[in-house]
């Protein structure tokens, strides 16, 4: 299996910044896409940003210009730099990976989530 562990969440004031990290471990053959999703209370889980193993990125409209996703393929780690945070960014952020374990099929993997709270 592939295990994803997030870190970097916390409480910040509006306009502040946070950097989330997610490290993948296990018997990894290849990880094609990594990304971040978020879920606020009462809402469905929604895509925030994704990045392919070739470096192609995709962002939700609500975070464009404020968030930057990056990836270190050698470390199997994905990052989310969040700037100019707003109260509506408050949510549990989940790391996502689309990949394969050795001798296994393509599958989706999820981290357990890290809380981001933006409040004054």
């Amino acid at each position: 299996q592939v295990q994803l562990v997030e870190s970097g969440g916390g409480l910040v004031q509006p306009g502040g910044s946070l950097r989330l990290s997610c490290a993948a471990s296990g018997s990894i053959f290849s990880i094609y896409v990594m990304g971040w999703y978020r879920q606020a209370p009462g809402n469905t889980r929604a895509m925030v940003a994704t990045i392919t193993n070739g470096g192609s990125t995709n962002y939700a409209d609500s975070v464009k210009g404020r968030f930057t996703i990056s990836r270190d393929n050698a470390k199997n780690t994905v990052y989310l730099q969040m700037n100019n945070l707003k109260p509506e960014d408050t949510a549990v952020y989940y790391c996502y990976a689309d990949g394969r374990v050795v001798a296994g099929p393509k599958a989706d993997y999820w981290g357990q989530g890290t809380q981001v709270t933006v409040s004054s």
Side-chain angles (χ1 to χ4, degrees):
Q1 63 179 17
V2 176
Q3 298 218 252
L4 305 175
V5 179
E6 305 102 329
S7 63
L11 173 64
V12 296
Q13 294 184 335
S17 297
L18 284 173
R19 190 192 192 208
L20 305 183
S21 299
C22 173
S25 62
S27 300
I28 299 170
F29 175 75
S30 184
I31 299 178
Y32 308 106
V33 180
M34 298 190 78
W36 294 92
Y37 288 66
R38 67 187 181 187
Q39 186 169 13
N43 292 338
T44 187
R45 191 173 299 186
M47 188 273 290
V48 177
T50 61
I51 184 168
T52 70
N53 55 2
S56 179
T57 59
N58 190 29
Y59 295 93
D61 288 342
S62 59
V63 307
K64 287 179 179 177
R66 299 188 297 120
F67 292 9
T68 302
I69 190 169
S70 60
R71 177 173 176 172
D72 186 335
N73 291 333
K75 297 180 179 179
N76 288 317
T77 300
V78 65
Y79 306 93
L80 186 68
Q81 179 66 47
M82 304 185 293
N83 297 327
N84 192 24
L85 284 160
K86 302 176 179 181
E88 51 263 44
D89 296 318
T90 296
V92 177
Y93 284 70
Y94 296 91
C95 182
Y96 164 82
D98 171 12
R100 291 179 59 186
V101 296
V102 174
K106 185 173 177 289
D108 294 340
Y109 298 90
W110 294 93
Q112 68 180 29
T114 185
Q115 177 71 46
V116 172
T117 302
V118 185
S119 177
S120 59

